[in-house]
Amino acid sequence: MKKTGKCPKCGSEHILVFENKDKKGKSSTADFEVIGPLGKTIYTSRYVCCDCGYTERYFDDASLEKLKKKYSKFRG
Ligand SMILES: [Zn+2]
């Protein structure tokens, strides 16, 4: 969805993007959650399909780096 610009469920190209940056002054509209052990606020961008309502959320790059440093193990 992020890369294709298309909804993976219905194929619509009517995608709304709510981008959120981990910067001061933008937190009022940010989509975020607090990761407990990190004790930090992690900001996410949300992609919403206007036709079927499907949504995806993405951590931003800076948050991904924080998570990778904290959590080194991957399940696979
Ligand atoms: Zn859709």
Side-chain angles (χ1 to χ4, degrees), residues 7 10 12 49 52:
C7 175
C10 72
S12 170
C49 173
C52 75

Side-chain angles (χ1 to χ4, degrees), residues 1 7-12 15 49-54:
M1 203 162 179
C7 175
K9 300 298 181 185
C10 72
S12 170
I15 307 296
C49 173
C50 290
D51 287 317
C52 75
Y54 180 75

Side-chain angles (χ1 to χ4, degrees), residues 12-26:
S12 170
E13 294 182 357
H14 297 140
I15 307 296
L16 289 178
V17 181
F18 298 90
E19 278 204 71
N20 293 292
K21 309 264 183 188
D22 190 1
K23 289 178 181 172
K24 288 179 183 176
K26 292 202 173 183

Side-chain angles (χ1 to χ4, degrees), residues 4-65:
T4 63
K6 277 189 178 180
C7 175
K9 300 298 181 185
C10 72
S12 170
E13 294 182 357
H14 297 140
I15 307 296
L16 289 178
V17 181
F18 298 90
E19 278 204 71
N20 293 292
K21 309 264 183 188
D22 190 1
K23 289 178 181 172
K24 288 179 183 176
K26 292 202 173 183
S27 59
S28 61
T29 57
D31 197 10
F32 66 90
E33 59 189 84
V34 176
I35 305 293
L38 273 179
K40 301 207 173 192
T41 303
I42 303 296
Y43 292 92
T44 58
S45 295
R46 185 185 295 270
Y47 287 63
V48 180
C49 173
C50 290
D51 287 317
C52 75
Y54 180 75
T55 71
E56 289 183 350
R57 290 176 72 189
Y58 296 87
F59 293 125
D60 66 25
D61 290 341
S63 294
L64 281 174
E65 287 305 314

